[in-house]
Amino acid sequence: MRTVPPGFVKKKRLPGLRRAVNLSTSLVILLVGCAATPEELTADYLSDEPDGSGRAERELLALGKEAVPALMEAFVAGEREKTGRLLARLGEVAVEPLAGLLSSADQKLAADAARTLGEMGALAVGPLIEALRTGTG
């Protein structure tokens, strides 16, 4: 039997706890180090890289309303197909900005905004009816 010298404290081995602490520390470093702006995420989303695009899509959806201005900027600039799909998935937070485009002098932009609103279904019925009523769409 081993004897423990006086003043020596036995340390219990807690490999599971140590592993959990290391993992959580790594996760915090990863999250803090990877905080991207909505504009950066939009650029990544529009990129041809599937990994970056998928990650950016998830993060933009998680941002919700905060992502709308950057996506709308890309939509107006001509990136309408992909950003339109994501704006439609964002739903209610994107209705008003898209409805504002219905009166655009650019008929293609107005039509693409109407199409994106149409993809939203019932959420967009009010703005689309209003555009028809006032002749702005």
Side-chain angles (χ1 to χ4, degrees):
M1 182 169 163
R2 279 194 207 169
T3 58
V4 178
F8 180 81
V9 178
K10 269 189 168 179
K11 292 184 180 178
K12 289 185 178 183
R13 292 187 178 201
L14 300 172
L17 179 60
R18 183 172 299 141
R19 198 171 311 128
V21 168
N22 288 341
L23 181 61
S24 64
T25 302
S26 299
L27 184 59
V28 167
I29 290 169
L30 178 67
L31 290 175
V32 170
C34 291
T37 66
E39 293 78 15
E40 292 168 333
L41 290 170
T42 298
D44 288 348
Y45 174 66
L46 295 171
S47 75
D48 292 332
E49 294 183 31
D51 291 341
S53 179
R55 177 192 55 80
E57 179 180 8
R58 288 186 300 277
E59 290 185 35
L60 286 163
L61 286 169
L63 285 174
K65 187 176 185 174
E66 192 179 330
V68 172
L71 289 167
M72 287 299 297
E73 186 177 324
F75 188 87
V76 170
E79 295 287 349
R80 297 194 186 125
E81 185 177 332
K82 202 168 180 184
T83 55
R85 282 194 309 263
L86 191 55
L87 286 163
R89 289 182 62 198
L90 282 169
E92 192 172 349
V93 297
V95 170
E96 189 176 322
L98 284 165
L101 296 177
L102 295 175
S103 60
S104 173
D106 180 344
Q107 290 183 345
K108 175 85 169 104
L109 176 59
D112 289 338
R115 186 174 12 270
T116 301
L117 285 165
E119 290 176 23
M120 292 180 180
L123 287 173
V125 170
L128 288 170
I129 289 173
E130 181 64 21
L132 289 171
R133 189 180 65 73
T134 60
T136 59

